[in-house]
């Protein structure tokens, strides 16, 4: 284990990771970036102001500050390839590669993966056009009342609709909101199951 560990993230999961890592006698210091109020100053744990959005700067910070291991918690930096970039720069990191993180980052990818490998999952279909999705909902031989925004939605991307009209409204809301977001405009889809 490394003497100095950097945990990436600011939520409860990262707080728990930092807390457990700090219990190891092999770890002298746990830095958390950006961290939260609970990790700001807690024994061997402290927050770091290093930018986590620029992987090259982060890798250099780790080298300059003798960080022996980086543990990446949140899905967004994992899907953005943080572990891949840090490892390529010679910084030991724990977390899935960007390709492996797609299982969490893209519901369409996950469902396709499960279908390809015979892993049981609910019936589903993916759409980028709201009208096509609503036509599917109205004509499906199963309720089709679970609507999911594909992509990272911070746990907020699933709507369990009470009826077909509410499911269609959820589809319209998801696609309309995402079309106004430039970062998702070209790749947004909804899944119905």
């Amino acid at each position: 284990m490394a003497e100095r560990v950097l945990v990436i993230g600011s939520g409860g999961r990262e707080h728990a990771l930092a807390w457990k890592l700090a219990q190891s006698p092999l770890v002298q210091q746990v830095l958390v970036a950006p961290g939260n109020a609970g990790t700001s100053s807690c024994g061997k744990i402290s927050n770091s102001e290093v930018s986590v959005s620029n992987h090259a700067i982060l890798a250099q910070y780790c080298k300059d500050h003798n960080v022996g291991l980086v543990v990446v918690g949140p899905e967004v930096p994992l899907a953005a390839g943080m572990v891949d970039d840090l490892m390529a720069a010679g910084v030991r990191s724990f977390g899935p590669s960007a390709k492996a993180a797609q299982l969490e980052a893209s519901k369409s990818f996950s469902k396709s993966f499960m279908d390809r490998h015979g892993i049981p999952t609910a019936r589903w279909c993916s759409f980028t056009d709201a009208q096509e999705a609503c036509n599917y909902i109205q004509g499906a031989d199963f309720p089709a009342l679970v609507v999911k925004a594909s992509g990272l939605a911070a746990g907020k991307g699933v709507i369990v609709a009470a009826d077909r009209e509410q499911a269609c409204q959820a589809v319209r809301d998801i696609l309309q909101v995402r079309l106004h977001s430039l970062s998702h405009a070209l790749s947004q889809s909804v899944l119905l199951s």
Side-chain angles (χ1 to χ4, degrees), residues 86-168:
L86 292 173
M87 295 289 281
V91 177
R92 290 185 352 175
S93 303
F94 178 80
S97 66
K99 187 172 182 181
Q102 288 305 300
L103 287 170
E104 177 68 21
S106 169
K107 290 172 186 69
S108 292
F109 178 88
S110 297
K111 289 291 198 170
S112 293
F113 179 89
M114 288 184 259
D115 283 349
R116 269 192 323 277
H117 297 285
I119 300 169
T121 186
R123 290 184 284 180
W124 67 282
C125 202
S126 178
F127 297 91
T128 56
D129 179 85
Q131 188 56 52
E132 288 178 20
C134 289
N135 291 343
Y136 180 82
I137 290 168
Q138 297 302 334
D141 64 349
F142 60 98
L145 298 179
V146 178
V147 180
K148 300 176 184 181
S150 188
L152 296 170
K156 311 290 188 275
V158 177
I159 295 95
V160 180
D163 55 38
R164 292 177 191 273
E165 183 50 43
Q166 190 178 35
C168 283

Side-chain angles (χ1 to χ4, degrees), residues 154-192:
K156 311 290 188 275
V158 177
I159 295 95
V160 180
D163 55 38
R164 292 177 191 273
E165 183 50 43
Q166 190 178 35
C168 283
Q169 187 58 51
V171 166
R172 289 189 289 271
D173 290 347
I174 289 170
L175 291 177
Q176 188 65 30
V177 166
R178 295 295 174 104
L179 285 176
H180 286 47
S181 170
L182 294 178
S183 64
H184 295 289
L186 300 176
S187 63
Q188 183 55 36
S189 62
V190 293
L191 281 83
L192 304 172

Side-chain angles (χ1 to χ4, degrees), residues 25-66:
L26 301 175
V27 174
Q28 291 184 352
Q29 183 181 24
V30 179
L31 301 169
V32 186
N36 59 46
T39 59
S40 64
S41 182
C42 182
K44 294 196 284 187
I45 305 169
S46 61
N47 290 343
S48 171
E49 294 185 14
V50 64
S51 171
V52 297
S53 59
N54 184 315
H55 301 173
I57 290 173
L58 182 61
Q60 191 59 53
Y61 172 88
C62 291
K63 291 174 183 178
D64 292 346
H65 292 85
N66 299 313

